[in-house]
Amino acid sequence: MNSKKNVCCEGNCSSEKLLVKVPSDEKLEVNSSILKSIADPTRLKIIYLLKNGELCVCEILDAFDKSQSTISHHLNMMKKEGIINGRKQGKWIYYKLANEEIIETLETLFELIR
């Protein structure tokens, strides 16, 4: 925080009053990390692929012209942030959305911004 006093237009504002309703830095870091984990066209496409239910990683790979390691990186990033869940069955991993409402929430967000 800047220790220099700012001159306010009315002379009665303070950063303390403004910051009361702002989430903590820790919460903002967590939220920023979550947004970063979906802020990529490949990751958004994966989210939309999982809209209709669980998919094997092989099915996800087939939807892209990208290497297995690239897709795994994207999947792991979203899994780490709790966007998707994975379960291993035999030699394959199956992924699904951690919360199916994420699609509707993203669509609402995109609509609000447009």
Side-chain angles (χ1 to χ4, degrees):
M1 194 75 123
N2 189 352
S3 62
K4 188 169 117 177
K5 272 247 191 235
N6 291 326
V7 178
C8 291
C9 51
E10 297 295 320
N12 61 358
C13 61
S14 73
S15 60
E16 289 81 21
K17 287 180 185 176
L18 294 172
L19 292 173
V20 167
K21 294 184 180 180
V22 175
S24 69
D25 288 347
E26 294 80 19
K27 181 71 172 176
L28 292 171
E29 282 293 326
V30 168
N31 290 346
S32 175
S33 184
I34 291 168
L35 288 173
K36 286 177 190 174
S37 78
I38 60 174
D40 177 272
T42 298
R43 293 190 289 271
L44 283 172
K45 186 173 182 178
I46 291 169
I47 290 170
Y48 280 102
L49 287 172
L50 296 173
K51 178 181 181 177
N52 295 316
E54 186 176 71
L55 291 174
C56 175
V57 70
C58 62
E59 295 171 299
I60 297 169
L61 284 168
D62 283 347
F64 293 92
D65 186 26
K66 297 183 184 293
S67 70
Q68 181 271 328
S69 62
T70 298
I71 298 302
S72 288
H73 167 75
H74 290 298
L75 290 166
N76 286 326
M77 182 179 233
M78 289 191 296
K79 188 175 175 187
K80 177 182 160 250
E81 294 300 332
I83 304 297
I84 61 173
N85 293 324
R87 68 173 180 87
K88 190 168 177 110
Q89 183 175 327
K91 68 177 190 168
W92 297 106
I93 300 176
Y94 291 81
Y95 290 96
K96 68 178 185 174
L97 294 174
N99 184 332
E100 294 178 14
E101 292 178 19
I102 190 169
I103 299 287
E104 184 178 320
T105 302
L106 286 172
E107 290 297 327
T108 300
L109 175 64
F110 299 148
E111 197 60 39
L112 286 170
I113 294 170
R114 288 184 202 128

